[in-house]
Amino acid sequence: MPSSKKRKFVIPHTYAIIFSIILIMAAATYLIPAGEYDREEVNGRQVVVDGSFHSVEQNPVSIFEIFKSVPLGMEKGATIIFYIFLVGGAFGAIQATGAIDAGINKLVRKLGNNEKLLIPVVMFVFSILGFTTGMAEESIIFVPIGIAIARALGYDAIVGTAMISLGAASGFIGGMMNPFTVGVAQGIAEIPIFSGFLFRSVVYVFILTAAMFYVMRYASKVKQDRANSVMYDLELESPVEDPNTIQDSGAFTKRHILVLLTLGTGIAINMYGVLNWDWFLNELAASFIMIGLISGIIGGLGINKTFSSYVDGMKLVAFGALIVGFARTILVVMESGVIIDTVIHSLVGVISELPATLTVLGMFLFQVVLNFFIPSGSGQAATTMPLMVPLADLLGMERQIAVLAFQYGDAISNSAIPTSAALMGYLAVAGIPYDRWLKFIWKLILIWIGIAAIGLVVAVAIGVS
């Protein structure tokens, strides 16, 4: 007798989605007419020559060539892939010293009884980690501490989770020095790494301020009446915590201070190197290797544990790093079939008559939708930037603006989509049902989208480069 149970829809694995796109592109090489633009070198980078599109001989991709394209994609993305691995390894060593955990723990405990400063200060600190280290899943471990303190002050689990997760998310959206999204996207776009810092900083201030006021306003409502909590019925029997009894993860030692100083100094040197020494991904990766080694040694890990922690850190970023190679395979297939320029030519024909502001907003919304299917920032950059960069060139738009459209489209929806590993981790640890979180967060997501859209329009108007 057939089962009466309905099959539950399962979201396809990210790699399955990307491989499906590879297969679709391979099939497209049989259907889409092959064509090419001429390209020329301008200021050290290859740009498309407007009006030079012409048809060429069809070159469809065979089944074996599809699978052959995967290692070729890995090869083409090698610089970025190993950059992600090495930076992830360095942060693995830094995390293993316990310096970040102990530092944040100390800060949170110090602010535990100061309700007015607690939410904005904690969110600000996590936002710094968001825009410098790309912190996302790494902040999950702090959620139980945030919840315990929030409940002790008369708030709910949403407030405790939000001040950790949305603080990190605000910095991630700002992305001024995020090596995994902005760094990768700018590398693909062949523009200086971490350029546009000032403009991103201004947008970041608006993003973070909006998040702070949003969480503080909600917290104030819950404080006045617990029935205002979206978790009210689930928290009726939750114990009220005493901030003075919250378990500390360890003392904040001199070693921890030295590790954090090493990290801060290293990031400052990286920024100086990018601006004054023309540093790129290889130099930044080398610098992060040094930062991780020095941090591990002075943090008391010793040589063996330092390198073990490197490997652990690399494991954490392996999912996103290897996606870059798979995503590059899409480009390899399209290049082999000589259809990538045909696709770009068609896109230009559709949107060339539109104002630049509408074009950039379309690019932004496209990234928002795509992020549901490819929630890895570095993987999404590798998937879309090869198309968006020449499109921007042909439309007379700065490549930096194409990077901004990707950056905001990728980052904002991470706080709402169920395919986000970080979000699902936060909610699992906090015991918050997804539908309750969505009820809390949806208005802030719309506010963030509005801020990003205004920022992109302004970027086009002033020609951010």
Side-chain angles (χ1 to χ4, degrees), residues 25-277:
M25 288 302 105
T29 62
Y30 289 85
L31 303 173
I32 298 176
E36 283 184 331
Y37 281 105
D38 294 330
R39 285 171 168 79
E40 62 183 6
E41 187 171 310
V42 178
N43 298 325
R45 65 188 186 191
Q46 291 292 316
V47 299
V48 173
V49 178
D50 193 11
S52 65
F53 181 79
H54 56 279
S55 297
V56 297
E57 183 180 351
Q58 203 77 14
N59 186 39
V61 176
S62 69
I63 293 177
F64 183 71
E65 286 176 324
I66 293 173
F67 292 93
K68 182 181 174 183
S69 297
V70 176
L72 289 175
M74 294 289 180
E75 181 182 333
K76 284 184 175 290
T79 299
I80 295 173
I81 291 170
F82 286 114
Y83 168 74
I84 294 171
F85 270 124
L86 293 170
V87 173
F91 284 125
I94 294 167
Q95 189 72 27
T97 66
I100 294 178
D101 295 15
I104 292 177
N105 247 328
K106 184 176 179 65
L107 175 66
V108 171
R109 287 174 61 83
K110 286 282 187 182
L111 294 171
N113 293 311
N114 196 325
E115 298 178 39
K116 293 182 179 179
L117 289 178
L118 176 69
I119 293 174
V121 171
V122 171
M123 291 183 73
F124 174 67
V125 170
F126 275 92
S127 76
I128 294 174
L129 294 169
F131 72 69
T132 56
T133 70
M135 174 177 270
E137 289 93 338
E138 298 85 351
S139 56
I140 291 173
I141 60 174
F142 300 107
V143 168
I145 300 171
I147 290 175
I149 293 177
R151 283 177 174 161
L153 297 175
Y155 305 135
D156 63 359
I158 292 282
V159 174
T161 303
M163 65 184 182
I164 305 294
S165 65
L166 298 184
S170 297
F172 197 94
I173 295 168
M176 293 83 82
M177 298 177 67
N178 187 336
F180 301 111
T181 54
V182 174
V184 170
Q186 290 181 326
I188 295 172
E190 297 180 307
I191 59 177
I193 299 295
F194 304 140
S195 54
F197 184 92
L198 180 60
F199 182 83
R200 283 184 173 82
S201 297
V202 173
V203 176
Y204 153 75
V205 169
F206 282 100
I207 291 287
L208 178 60
T209 302
M212 285 178 174
F213 276 105
Y214 190 85
V215 176
M216 291 171 70
R217 184 170 178 269
Y218 173 82
S220 177
K221 288 183 176 180
V222 173
K223 181 88 169 180
Q224 291 173 5
D225 185 351
R226 296 280 289 185
N228 290 325
S229 169
V230 298
M231 293 279 291
Y232 178 65
D233 57 324
L234 300 178
E235 291 210 340
L236 286 176
E237 298 180 3
S238 297
V240 176
E241 303 279 356
D242 181 350
N244 294 315
T245 64
I246 295 168
Q247 185 177 358
D248 197 346
S249 64
F252 187 51
T253 66
K254 290 181 179 179
R255 283 185 182 273
H256 292 149
I257 295 172
L258 289 175
V259 170
L260 294 180
L261 285 175
T262 300
L263 176 60
T265 302
I267 290 175
I269 292 173
N270 284 353
M271 195 64 188
Y272 186 86
V274 165
L275 296 175
N276 297 281
W277 299 331

Side-chain angles (χ1 to χ4, degrees), residues 165-166 169 173 368 371-372 410-424 426-427 434-435 437-446 448-449:
S165 65
L166 298 184
I173 295 168
V368 170
N371 194 45
F372 181 90
D410 162 69
I412 288 175
S413 58
N414 283 336
S415 294
I417 57 174
T419 50
S420 168
L423 175 60
M424 292 299 102
Y426 293 136
L427 300 186
Y434 176 71
D435 62 311
W437 176 260
L438 206 58
K439 184 178 180 181
F440 161 74
I441 197 70
W442 72 270
K443 290 180 182 178
L444 179 61
I445 297 297
L446 292 181
W448 275 351
I449 288 175

